[in-house]
Amino acid sequence: MAFDHIPVTDDYVPFEHQAGEQPPKAFQLPWLVSSKDVTLDHLNADTPIIIKDSLTTRPPRFRTVNAAGSELGDILLTMKACLHVGRFERAAALMQRLNNIYKTDSPALLAAHNDYIRESALKIASTGDQHLLNNLQKWFEVEVRGRGILPDEITYAFMIQAVLQDVSAGRSNRSIRRYLHLADQAGFRDKLMNALLTVLNEQDFGRVTRINTPEPILPTLPTAPDEQVGALLTQSNKPRSELPEVRPVDRDLAGWRALRQSLSVFSEPSDTLVLDSAESTPEDKAKRLDIDRQLRMEQDTYESAVERWRTDFEQLKRVGINSALNHNSFGAMMWNWHGLLEPAIREEIKLANEAEGKDARSKLDEERCQYGPFLQYIDSGKLSAITILSLMTMLGTSRSGDRGCSTTAAVMKIGDAVHDESVTEHLKTNRVHHANLRGILHAADVRKLATGLRRNRNISAQVLEGQQWSKPVKARIGAVLLSKVIETAKIRVFRKDPETGSILEASQPAFLHRWLYDNGRRVGMVSLNGSMYDHLAKDPVAASLTQKYLPMVIEPKAWVSFREGGFLTSTEPIVRIPQSDEQSRRYITVAMDNGHMSQVTAGLDALSRTPWQINGPVFETMLEAWNSGQAIGKLAPDNPDMPLPPEPAREDRPAHFKWLKAVRRISNERAGYKSDRCFQNFQLEIARAFVNETFYFPHNVDFRGRAYPMSPLFNYMGSDICRGLLTFGVGKPLGPTGLKWLKIHLANVFGYDKASFEERVAFAEGHLDEIFDSASKPLEGQRWWLKAEDPWQCLAACKELRNALNSSDPQSFVSKLAVHQDGTCNGLQHYAALGGDTIGARQVNLEPGDKPSDIYTGVAELVQEDIEKDAQQGHQIARSLQGKITRKVVKQTVMTNVYGVTFMGARLQIAKQLMDLYPDFPKTVTVNYQGAAYYIAKKIFQALANMFNGAHDIQYWLGDCASRIAMAVTPEQMQRVEAAMAGTLDEGAEFNKSPTRARKGERGHKSELLAFKQSVIWTTPLKMPVVQPYRQKSTEMVRTHLQMISLQNPSIADPVNKRKQLQAFPPNFIHSLDATHMILSALQCEKQGLTFTAVHDSFWTHASDVDTMNRVLRDAFIEMHSEDIVGRLRSEFMIRYKDCMYLAGVKAPSPVSKRITEWRGKFSTLPNLKKQLESIQFDELILERRRLKLLASENPEERKKGEEMITPYSIFEQSEGEADLAVEENVTETALGNISATRENKLQANEKLTVGDGGNIGSVDTVLDEDVGVLDQHDDEEGTHAASAEPSGATLQAQKRPQDQYRKTWLWRPLSFPPVPKKGEFDVSRIEKSQYFFS
């Protein structure tokens, strides 16, 4: 079948629609297609989204009443939980408590009443309970309107939903008219009609509109476009039924069976899945089949697991094994645990309900009242399965051996899993969960599904918003469930009597709770019974919790809101952020509500619409290799031949120590192969299930905007194995250039990717015999493809190229293979464009050239030149490194330098490369791996700084901006400080009662006033707000069933982590730019009719479209960098942080520092300031704020007063200005290829160590170990290690050199940002002619 494609012609206009025919697209489901306009909409830096949240504090505490906890958040959560489980009496009592706490005009109080009314209305709608309806109407009149609380459209919408169930039609109609009239009087009748549209079904909504009221103006629902079914191609040679089974891994039978069960939808007869209807067309039936299969794939994980356990248990009974505790089947054992745990949970729920009715409660009763309602969100059977699977998954994957895991970790694991499932269950019961797709399938017009989804969207978001449990709630739930499984789960243990030799057996707990000491701290631990570990190694359960996130057999839902998109039933958010990152969620939600992220969502939808298929011939070869058990092409061997060395005599301690290290290494490698083979087993099972299917990968993004598939087990971002198995779901003829790109692609995946295109084509043509042999006899022939860097992708390319060359007309050959084009150290490409670095641009292929430049080779050559010079001067380490600096030695450090690798991280990377490449490298005191690694790292950093001078300055500028922001306070904070000083601060403006004092160990009011809470926030060119989430970690102690739990409970109220904010900003900013480039490219490729996907900076399309895609990539990059990205960022910062003040530092030995110090000695504080706030920083901040207000006044007398005032900042203004500012040490570390002056001094000092001093190695390690690892890993605070010996006199003198650059005198000054560094001479438009920009 021939396909039209966009020809590569000279009249190609970038980012414009092409005239003429567009290539046919794969079939698209009408309710899942995004209707967004994807035209480029450039960012206006003058109007960023700004959410003023610097005054956010932790929820206030009140006196504990009715066992609802003292934190306001816990009271609200408990009230909602009581509503959800139908305990309306206790919910009403908690609402009365909230009525007493809040003032009547508090929005939070109205929201709580709306929750109460909504849950009551839903209960009435599902049961028709007239008594509950009467109570709700009384509640509305007495507790809402009677207290002076003003209802909104949500209040009236749910009241109307409730009264629609009144058995008296006349009374119901009168109530509806009244509520509509009240809404009309309040001025939001139209809003009420919109709210009703999301709450009511069509029949009830029609009834409301027919009641004797003015005809409402109804919002118009968009109709879905008509679609045509496109032809799907396949490369599979055999139907799935004829393919061999995938040989399972012995140790992974349970997880393997669970996966097979979830994939059974592909093997069942299709007629059992279709919901018949007389009016159905074949097209509708096909749609229904795909939807139903997708829903079954997303079925309930826990119910599936319980069914598997039951099946295992029944199988044992059929063969006569009746012991419930027998180890022969892990599934049967867990079925037994489930049977004991479920009634224990039911009993605990019963006790919790009884505790609520007691007048006098014990501490245990009080605790049960707090967690009882939450235990009833989901049924006890599912709670039991969640508990067992969560605990077994955690302990089964723990690397701590028989130590197990901390109680806190186990408790939170269970609590998180229960919470996630409760969200799904809550949506189901509120009729907004998308499982109702099945019911809609009965209709002939499946477009009704689109209407249903749109109607439910708003209420779905509201339900999700109210379902976010706090960490203490999760901890209490997790703890009670953990305690119950520890009490009930038993195993049978067999031991040999040492005296009689007889076998003894006993029933013991399967899980143990005990206490261990870790660094002097008493830590609660949960572990498995020791006899369980051998059995667990044969039958892990981790995969049971991931099977719902498989590739989709229908196009993913278009993203329309924060949690609406991707999978049909999942509530995964569009941005991958932790639940505690409230600030990021707020910004993303506001951005989506305002339509600012339409291009991001359109880009994700475009990526998600890319159809995929399994490469049948490659899969057949891989399956044969897998079933052989051999290590073929990165497949892990089944039984690796790794014998242990013979044990030497124990008396020879050095030899025995080496033997123990060798045994440990071999054991770890064996375990690694086993783990890899288990994971590959799952991947092959998934691939086998999807043979002959067209499928899709839903996508979301991380907080920087980088896109990822949401299917974790199997996707195109995976290993060479996954990539080799995947092809596009549609094919295109190779055309005039496709054959060339197939050959280039083959050379690239083989590893021959640094040569010119002509040389790569020649490489493929020179190995045609090997290519044909690999394609025809991959396992029986020469196996040339196994020599490739990516062997399975190479095999796929060999087969595709063989088929094309064997065809009668290669230009007409329809190819589905994805051809890759990779950037050259993409982060450095962005930095070179930002800084205008001519030399750097040439090294990363922004400049046109006849051959591709290789930045790694370029840096290696510069380093080698410096080493040769040092070697000629007698430098011992340099001499040992002559001829050893290869591309591989420097590659990882160069690649990660742009993303914030520290000096220690670089040293560790290089040391590892040296150990792998040169095992015989000297290991003397003066010349060794560590010393050579830091020496090379220093040379690499210097080379990069020289190549990318402009980029170096921009990185420094970014770090400086982040440093200022992280030390800033907002006008709202300063105003609050002034009010506190004046005694006019109303801490309980929203409350009738004053909150209690903070508990010991919590941050009090005083320290929160001037806490630095400003995250670095910026907007990408695609209008996506990026919020850096790094904050100081606060802890909270929670009393639970088992023990006191110490929780890290991060909050937007916590101060930011200055070091991480500063060091993370440059790499995160670059990540947001490469994410922007990818999304822009995806949108434009879709416009041009190209099939497209990307792995960050590796872009894929059909061979025939590579030239067109390359032009799109270049044009998108040029368009991005033709704008003043850094200048626009500075403008956004000036607006976003307007009127903020930050704590700046001036160089301590400077004259201005001396004058400030003298002024402070004479400055007398204002009355009571120190007494009230106990900090001179408060005094000076408010003094400076007053001075600036006076200077800005239009009154001349006030301006004169301001001019006469003296403050530290006024003294600073009279100095040399910015030149007197001290430099943050961490700022210097953010600059490309830079080492801080402190570390530079230490390195120089260590270079002067006396040769032969045995303590020198420790001194060197002390310097290097002060750094932290690669920034993208978000390491914790840096640590230092003590040197093993005192340094020599020369070293001591060098280390005592004063670090004047980092001694500071602090002062408050208005937050401003330094000018953007001057850009270099490189013209970004030259990229248009660079054929190796992406290659």
Side-chain angles (χ1 to χ4, degrees):
M1 182 179 296
F3 282 79
D4 294 330
H5 65 283
I6 303 298
V8 180
T9 59
D10 292 335
D11 59 354
Y12 166 76
V13 180
F15 304 128
E16 293 293 334
H17 289 282
Q18 298 295 303
E21 293 292 328
Q22 293 293 319
K25 296 181 179 179
F27 170 69
Q28 294 178 325
L29 296 171
W31 55 87
L32 305 177
V33 177
S34 171
S35 59
K36 304 179 184 70
D37 182 8
V38 297
T39 55
L40 294 179
D41 184 12
H42 296 294
L43 173 67
N44 181 1
D46 296 333
T47 57
I49 294 174
I50 299 176
I51 300 176
K52 297 184 181 296
D53 50 18
S54 61
L55 297 183
T56 303
T57 59
R58 289 189 170 274
R61 294 180 181 273
F62 297 88
R63 186 171 59 86
T64 301
V65 176
N66 201 20
S70 59
E71 249 193 33
L72 182 57
D74 285 347
I75 299 174
L76 289 166
L77 281 172
T78 306
M79 186 272 294
K80 292 177 182 179
C82 290
L83 288 171
H84 177 72
V85 300
R87 304 195 67 80
F88 290 96
E89 291 184 3
R90 188 176 180 214
L94 293 172
M95 277 303 310
Q96 295 289 1
R97 170 81 170 134
L98 293 173
N99 283 335
N100 294 331
I101 291 176
Y102 283 111
K103 293 182 178 178
T104 56
D105 59 352
S106 168
L109 181 59
L110 175 60
H113 277 284
N114 283 345
D115 286 334
Y116 182 88
I117 293 171
R118 180 183 66 233
E119 295 295 337
S120 300
L122 291 171
K123 182 74 171 180
I124 294 166
S126 62
T127 64
D129 189 331
Q130 298 299 295
H131 178 70
L132 184 58
L133 173 60
N134 292 334
N135 287 342
L136 178 61
Q137 288 181 294
K138 181 179 178 181
W139 179 276
F140 175 74
E141 299 298 338
V142 176
E143 299 297 338
V144 180
R145 298 190 73 237
R147 287 181 176 270
I149 301 171
L150 298 179
D152 61 7
E153 67 274 10
I154 301 298
T155 317
Y156 288 119
F158 283 108
M159 288 303 301
I160 289 175
Q161 183 188 32
V163 299
L164 280 167
Q165 310 306 315
D166 197 326
V167 293
S168 170
R171 189 167 57 233
S172 174
N173 290 346
R174 287 194 299 272
S175 297
I176 293 172
R177 290 192 190 98
R178 180 167 181 269
Y179 297 146
L180 291 172
H181 176 68
L182 291 173
D184 204 18
Q185 284 185 325
F188 48 72
R189 190 170 182 277
D190 290 343
K191 288 184 178 180
L192 173 57
M193 299 309 296
N194 276 290
L196 288 171
L197 191 62
T198 66
V199 170
L200 305 179
N201 58 36
E202 291 183 11
Q203 181 179 355
D204 288 342
F205 187 80
R207 178 183 168 188
V208 172
T209 59
R210 289 191 298 271
I211 291 179
N212 188 22
T213 57
E215 190 67 23
I217 301 175
L218 301 181
T220 303
L221 286 175
T223 58
D226 292 329
E227 299 293 334
Q228 297 181 351
V229 179
L232 301 179
L233 303 177
T234 177
Q235 290 183 310
S236 300
N237 296 328
K238 297 180 181 179
R240 187 185 304 108
S241 59
E242 297 181 10
L243 290 171
E245 295 287 336
V246 179
R247 174 183 168 188
V249 180
D250 292 340
R251 63 173 281 187
D252 213 2
L253 291 174
W256 175 78
R257 284 194 295 268
L259 180 65
R260 288 294 298 272
Q261 181 175 337
S262 67
L263 295 174
S264 63
V265 297
F266 296 108
S267 57
E268 293 183 1
S270 59
D271 57 355
T272 65
L273 298 174
V274 177
L275 297 175
D276 248 339
S277 170
E279 302 177 6
S280 295
T281 64
E283 183 183 7
D284 284 338
K285 287 184 177 181
K287 294 175 185 176
R288 293 167 184 165
L289 170 63
D290 287 338
I291 295 172
D292 195 76
R293 288 198 306 167
Q294 183 59 41
L295 287 170
R296 291 188 60 196
M297 288 170 61
E298 298 179 28
Q299 69 180 346
D300 190 282
T301 303
Y302 303 106
E303 291 174 354
S304 173
V306 171
E307 178 61 24
R308 175 169 55 84
W309 301 342
R310 186 193 64 79
T311 301
D312 285 354
F313 183 78
E314 294 295 332
Q315 287 176 346
L316 286 180
K317 285 185 65 176
R318 281 197 295 270
V319 297
I321 300 176
N322 296 315
S323 173
L325 305 181
N326 197 289
H327 277 201
N328 288 337
S329 170
F330 206 85
M333 187 165 25
M334 288 199 286
W335 172 254
N336 174 65
W337 297 347
H338 176 66
L340 296 172
L341 180 58
E342 184 179 2
I345 294 174
R346 286 199 300 267
E347 179 64 22
E348 183 64 29
I349 292 173
K350 178 183 176 182
L351 293 173
N353 292 338
E354 291 174 354
E356 291 180 10
K358 294 181 179 179
D359 295 329
R361 301 188 183 104
S362 65
K363 285 187 176 181
L364 181 57
D365 288 335
E366 295 279 348
E367 195 173 328
R368 280 175 170 150
C369 288
Q370 292 181 13
Y371 63 69
F374 297 95
L375 280 178
Q376 300 173 63
Y377 261 86
I378 49 185
D379 65 78
S380 56
K382 188 170 290 187
L383 279 176
S384 172
I386 291 172
T387 305
I388 294 170
L389 280 172
S390 299
L391 192 56
M392 289 305 303
T393 299
M394 174 162 255
L395 295 175
T397 59
S398 173
R399 296 183 178 181
S400 56
D402 57 4
R403 282 173 56 92
C405 63
S406 71
T407 306
T408 300
V411 161
M412 294 309 298
K413 177 79 172 179
I414 297 171
D416 284 336
V418 173
H419 168 258
D420 292 344
E421 190 64 21
S422 76
V423 172
T424 302
E425 288 294 312
H426 196 59
L427 290 174
K428 286 179 181 178
T429 58
N430 282 279
R431 297 185 299 173
V432 297
H433 192 273
H434 301 313
N436 61 10
L437 297 176
R438 291 182 182 273
I440 300 174
L441 290 176
H442 286 287
D445 185 4
V446 295
R447 290 185 178 84
K448 286 186 178 181
L449 177 56
T451 304
L453 293 181
R454 280 190 282 268
R455 285 186 173 184
N456 286 327
R457 192 171 297 145
N458 292 336
I459 186 62
S460 174
Q462 294 170 12
V463 172
L464 285 170
E465 181 72 19
Q467 279 299 105
Q468 301 306 310
W469 294 357
S470 66
K471 279 196 172 183
V473 168
K474 294 179 183 177
R476 295 186 184 102
I477 293 296
V480 68
L481 292 174
L482 177 60
S483 68
K484 293 304 173 185
V485 77
I486 290 174
E487 291 173 9
T488 57
K490 307 291 182 182
I491 61 169
R492 179 165 293 177
V493 178
F494 299 90
R495 293 287 185 270
K496 185 176 182 179
D497 190 314
E499 296 181 359
T500 65
S502 61
I503 301 299
L504 305 177
E505 63 176 272
S507 175
Q508 293 184 357
F511 304 98
L512 306 175
H513 176 232
R514 52 184 176 169
W515 296 90
L516 297 177
Y517 283 90
D518 186 12
N519 293 326
R521 294 174 61 247
R522 189 166 177 258
V523 180
M525 302 292 291
V526 177
S527 63
L528 287 171
N529 189 302
S531 63
M532 292 276 291
Y533 282 100
D534 291 338
H535 196 75
L536 182 64
K538 299 177 182 178
D539 203 4
V541 297
S544 297
L545 296 179
T546 57
Q547 54 186 298
K548 68 169 64 173
Y549 298 116
L550 295 169
M552 299 181 66
V553 294
I554 62 173
E555 284 189 11
K557 289 191 299 184
W559 284 103
V560 293
S561 68
F562 185 71
R563 290 186 181 271
E564 281 283 333
F567 291 105
L568 296 185
T569 60
S570 170
T571 57
E572 291 296 310
I574 187 174
V575 181
R576 300 181 177 202
I577 52 177
Q579 182 185 329
S580 59
D581 189 2
E582 178 71 11
Q583 192 175 27
S584 292
R585 189 187 62 79
R586 289 180 184 177
Y587 270 90
I588 295 298
T589 301
V590 171
M592 294 198 72
D593 290 344
N594 293 341
H596 287 195
M597 286 184 60
S598 60
Q599 291 174 294
V600 174
T601 57
L604 290 177
D605 295 340
L607 293 172
S608 301
R609 283 194 291 268
T610 298
W612 296 89
Q613 288 181 347
I614 297 299
N615 190 325
V618 173
F619 175 73
E620 292 172 18
T621 301
M622 191 179 296
L623 189 57
E624 183 181 351
W626 172 266
N627 288 340
S628 74
Q630 300 177 28
I632 299 176
K634 297 184 180 180
L635 290 176
D638 190 9
N639 292 301
D641 184 16
M642 301 177 66
L644 295 177
E647 182 179 2
R650 291 182 177 269
E651 292 75 16
D652 189 351
R653 299 193 64 180
H656 198 267
F657 179 74
K658 289 183 179 180
W659 176 81
L660 288 174
K661 288 183 65 176
V663 170
R664 189 180 302 113
R665 176 182 57 80
I666 293 173
S667 298
N668 289 338
E669 289 181 9
R670 283 177 174 174
Y673 281 131
K674 227 22 171 173
S675 176
D676 290 344
R677 191 161 175 88
C678 288
F679 189 68
Q680 291 167 2
N681 195 170
F682 286 118
Q683 291 177 324
L684 285 175
E685 274 296 344
I686 294 171
R688 186 181 185 280
F690 280 91
V691 167
N692 295 329
E693 297 284 345
T694 297
F695 52 91
Y696 305 85
F697 296 111
H699 288 71
N700 59 3
V701 296
D702 65 12
F703 76 96
R704 301 162 300 190
R706 305 189 97 189
Y708 296 87
M710 297 169 66
S711 307
L713 282 178
F714 187 79
N715 61 70
Y716 62 87
M717 282 192 182
S719 65
D720 172 59
I721 293 172
C722 287
R723 296 185 184 190
L725 286 173
L726 290 170
T727 68
F728 288 134
V730 294
K732 284 190 176 183
L734 289 178
T737 62
L739 187 63
K740 178 193 77 172
W741 284 110
L742 264 185
K743 295 174 181 178
I744 292 172
H745 175 69
L746 188 147
N748 287 344
V749 296
F750 192 86
Y752 190 73
D753 56 347
K754 300 300 176 288
S756 67
F757 288 143
E758 292 76 14
E759 290 170 331
R760 293 183 226 182
V761 170
F763 172 86
E765 292 174 347
H767 291 85
L768 286 179
D769 290 342
E770 292 90 342
I771 291 170
F772 273 70
D773 180 79
S774 297
S776 303
K777 298 180 293 182
L779 299 179
E780 301 82 10
Q782 304 172 24
R783 296 192 176 190
W784 174 81
W785 60 279
L786 290 177
K787 300 177 183 178
E789 284 188 3
D790 299 309
W792 291 108
Q793 293 176 76
C794 181
L795 179 61
C798 288
K799 289 180 178 291
E800 195 80 349
L801 183 58
R802 186 271 315 267
N803 294 340
L805 292 175
N806 282 343
S807 66
S808 58
D809 179 12
Q811 291 194 23
S812 301
F813 176 77
V814 177
S815 173
K816 293 183 178 180
L817 195 68
V819 174
H820 312 171
Q821 295 288 278
D822 298 344
T824 306
C825 198
N826 192 236
L828 284 175
Q829 287 181 322
H830 284 287
Y831 265 126
L834 291 173
D837 290 311
T838 303
I839 297 176
R842 189 179 304 117
Q843 291 291 334
V844 291
N845 293 307
L846 301 188
E847 277 280 5
D850 296 332
K851 295 186 67 173
S853 296
D854 181 25
I855 179 64
Y856 311 117
T857 301
V859 171
E861 290 173 351
L862 287 177
V863 172
Q864 188 62 53
E865 289 177 10
D866 279 354
I867 287 176
E868 291 295 336
K869 293 177 183 178
D870 290 347
Q872 292 175 8
Q873 297 176 7
H875 196 292
Q876 292 191 39
I877 294 180
R879 286 181 175 179
S880 68
L881 290 171
Q882 285 181 293
K884 291 184 172 63
I885 305 302
T886 63
R887 180 180 185 273
K888 191 170 184 179
V889 171
V890 306
K891 179 178 179 180
Q892 187 180 14
T893 301
V894 173
M895 184 189 306
T896 55
N897 191 279
V898 67
Y899 295 123
V901 69
T902 61
F903 193 82
M904 177 191 176
R907 189 265 289 178
L908 293 175
Q909 292 170 351
I910 296 167
K912 183 179 184 303
Q913 294 298 333
L914 291 176
M915 291 176 188
D916 292 342
L917 295 172
Y918 309 110
D920 298 328
F921 192 80
K923 302 177 182 65
T924 66
V925 173
T926 56
V927 180
N928 50 63
Y929 286 123
Q930 301 300 331
Y934 102 78
Y935 173 77
I936 296 172
K938 186 176 173 184
K939 296 291 185 184
I940 293 175
F941 277 45
Q942 291 170 347
L944 286 173
N946 292 334
M947 282 183 176
F948 297 89
N949 185 58
H952 175 280
D953 294 341
I954 286 176
Q955 265 195 330
Y956 184 93
W957 182 87
L958 293 171
D960 191 10
C961 291
S963 175
R964 298 183 183 202
I965 293 169
M967 294 286 283
V969 293
T970 64
E972 293 78 20
Q973 285 179 286
M974 290 183 277
Q975 184 177 356
R976 191 173 179 85
V977 170
E978 286 185 302
M981 290 179 171
T984 60
L985 179 63
D986 186 0
E987 299 185 64
E990 197 177 4
F991 307 115
N992 290 319
K993 296 184 176 182
S994 297
T996 60
R997 291 186 177 182
R999 291 177 180 173
K1000 184 178 180 181
E1002 293 182 340
R1003 290 191 178 88
H1005 163 68
K1006 293 180 181 179
S1007 61
E1008 282 189 338
L1009 284 176
L1010 281 188
F1012 298 122
K1013 299 182 180 181
Q1014 291 299 291
S1015 296
V1016 180
I1017 304 172
W1018 70 96
T1019 310
T1020 73
L1022 294 179
K1023 293 190 175 182
M1024 176 179 171
V1026 180
V1027 181
Q1028 293 203 143
Y1030 318 113
R1031 294 184 178 273
Q1032 294 180 15
K1033 298 175 181 178
S1034 58
T1035 58
E1036 181 176 358
M1037 300 301 296
V1038 178
R1039 184 182 300 277
T1040 70
H1041 251 49
L1042 287 170
Q1043 63 178 65
M1044 290 292 289
I1045 299 291
S1046 177
L1047 296 177
Q1048 285 190 348
N1049 197 10
S1051 165
I1052 192 175
D1054 295 329
V1056 296
N1057 185 317
K1058 177 185 173 183
R1059 182 181 66 86
K1060 288 187 177 180
Q1061 289 283 341
L1062 187 159
Q1063 292 187 339
F1065 179 39
N1068 284 340
F1069 181 69
I1070 294 300
H1071 276 308
S1072 72
L1073 291 184
D1074 67 43
T1076 297
H1077 180 232
M1078 191 278 289
I1079 292 293
L1080 278 178
S1081 301
L1083 293 175
Q1084 301 311 320
C1085 283
E1086 186 178 56
K1087 283 186 180 181
Q1088 303 305 323
L1090 275 63
T1091 302
F1092 176 88
T1093 197
V1095 182
H1096 302 318
D1097 60 351
S1098 177
F1099 298 164
W1100 303 3
T1101 192
H1102 287 101
S1104 59
D1105 291 332
V1106 172
D1107 288 309
T1108 303
M1109 183 184 74
N1110 278 337
R1111 293 192 183 193
V1112 170
L1113 302 184
R1114 292 193 294 267
D1115 293 333
F1117 195 90
I1118 291 170
E1119 181 170 2
M1120 278 180 59
H1121 287 281
S1122 294
E1123 299 181 0
D1124 185 6
I1125 293 177
V1126 182
R1128 185 175 60 200
L1129 176 66
R1130 183 179 185 274
S1131 298
E1132 179 183 346
F1133 281 169
M1134 295 293 288
I1135 295 172
R1136 184 177 298 282
Y1137 302 106
K1138 183 181 179 182
D1139 297 328
C1140 290
M1141 301 273 282
Y1142 83 104
L1143 203 57
V1146 296
K1147 299 172 185 176
S1150 63
V1152 65
S1153 172
K1154 184 177 180 181
R1155 290 198 295 271
I1156 292 173
T1157 303
E1158 292 174 352
W1159 174 85
R1160 281 184 176 145
K1162 301 175 183 178
F1163 175 61
S1164 59
T1165 60
L1166 298 176
N1168 297 325
L1169 287 185
K1170 268 194 171 183
K1171 184 176 179 181
Q1172 288 183 21
L1173 301 175
E1174 303 174 354
S1175 172
I1176 194 172
Q1177 290 182 1
F1178 287 73
D1179 303 356
E1180 293 186 7
L1181 174 64
I1182 300 309
L1183 190 67
E1184 184 58 46
R1185 179 173 167 84
R1186 291 174 184 172
R1187 185 180 79 91
L1188 294 176
K1189 282 184 177 181
L1190 291 172
L1191 290 175
S1193 173
E1194 297 181 358
N1195 187 325
E1197 294 183 2
E1198 291 186 348
R1199 284 201 303 273
K1200 184 178 180 180
K1201 289 181 180 179
E1203 293 168 355
E1204 293 173 351
M1205 291 179 66
I1206 300 176
T1207 64
Y1209 181 54
S1210 70
I1211 296 173
F1212 172 80
E1213 286 181 306
Q1214 299 170 9
S1215 69
E1216 297 181 9
E1218 297 282 336
D1220 282 326
L1221 286 178
V1223 180
E1224 276 289 315
E1225 179 179 3
N1226 286 329
V1227 171
T1228 65
E1229 293 180 354
T1230 62
L1232 187 67
N1234 207 52
I1235 310 171
S1236 73
T1238 303
R1239 289 182 172 83
E1240 179 69 16
N1241 289 338
K1242 292 181 179 180
L1243 291 174
Q1244 292 174 0
N1246 278 290
E1247 287 181 353
K1248 297 178 181 179
L1249 294 175
T1250 306
V1251 175
D1253 183 354
N1256 295 352
I1257 301 301
S1259 298
V1260 173
D1261 286 341
T1262 301
V1263 175
L1264 300 173
D1265 290 344
E1266 285 180 354
D1267 285 315
V1268 294
V1270 178
L1271 195 96
D1272 248 6
Q1273 297 172 356
H1274 310 315
D1275 295 334
D1276 290 331
E1277 298 298 326
E1278 56 187 295
T1280 58
H1281 305 278
S1284 58
E1286 289 293 327
S1288 63
T1291 303
L1292 191 61
Q1293 184 177 0
Q1295 289 179 338
K1296 286 184 177 179
R1297 190 177 303 152
Q1299 301 170 19
D1300 293 339
Q1301 185 178 1
Y1302 300 108
R1303 292 176 55 197
K1304 306 178 185 71
T1305 297
W1306 297 102
L1307 71 140
W1308 290 103
R1309 64 174 298 205
L1311 178 56
S1312 61
F1313 299 95
V1316 173
K1318 184 179 178 181
K1319 198 170 185 178
E1321 300 297 325
F1322 174 69
D1323 181 2
V1324 73
S1325 65
R1326 292 181 57 78
I1327 298 173
E1328 188 174 358
K1329 298 181 180 179
S1330 175
Q1331 60 178 329
Y1332 296 107
F1333 170 55
F1334 270 66
S1335 64

